[in-house]
Amino acid sequence: MSKTRVVITGAGGGGANNIISTIRQRENYHLIGFDISPYKVARANVDSRFVVPPASSPDYEEKICKIIKKEKPDIVHNVALKTILLGSIAGLFSKNSTIVNSFTGLGYVFSSNQLRAIIIQIFIKPLFKLIIKRQSYWTIFQNPDDMGLLRKYFGLSNSKGRLIAGGSGVDVTEYHPNTINSPQSMEIRRSLGISEDAFVAMFVGRLQLDKG
């Protein structure tokens, strides 16, 4: 039995790795990873790897179209807003592929009131309306607000969108608050020059003004 061939764009990113881990729990899938970083895509748990230009590069669309034509995937899974837009356009050249778009958020373009973001919206809204209505295109969301927005403004049908309840966050069972005073935690504090009674708050993510 031949394996289902799946392209994962941004294969080195956190959201894509969650998708890859889920697919790996099943058999008969050949995973093809794209990423702009040779180091990240080298670590991705995929069967074939390709380094592509950044999505902002004029060569991006041509490069992924060539790879898709060569690999002939059954499914192209795009993650994040810019890659969804460009990857979906590239998917038009692979008539036998199903396109799955995973929105991890709508990003700066839809969250900002700046003139630049508004102008970009004017250009991409017609493209999104075309993309999400195509029969072979499917959409996945991590929060209900994004799904509701695309239903309201882009005509996403009830049958074409799927919500991942809770998003793709961390597995909280892997973290144990009662280890805060463990010998290992105390050793880490000492190595960083942090006193044992100091209150420590840690933020994992990007510091961006438009995200508060």
Side-chain angles (χ1 to χ4, degrees), residues 144-163:
D145 293 337
D146 290 346
M147 186 166 68
L149 189 148
L150 263 73
R151 291 206 193 288
K152 181 177 180 180
Y153 294 107
F154 295 90
L156 178 68
S157 67
N158 292 332
S159 62
K160 300 292 284 188
R162 294 290 184 273
L163 177 68

Side-chain angles (χ1 to χ4, degrees), residues 109-128:
V109 172
F110 288 96
S111 63
S112 175
N113 291 321
Q114 295 181 6
L115 178 61
R116 179 171 178 265
I118 294 172
I119 293 173
I120 294 173
Q121 284 184 38
I122 293 172
F123 284 99
I124 69 172
K125 279 183 177 180
L127 289 173
F128 270 119

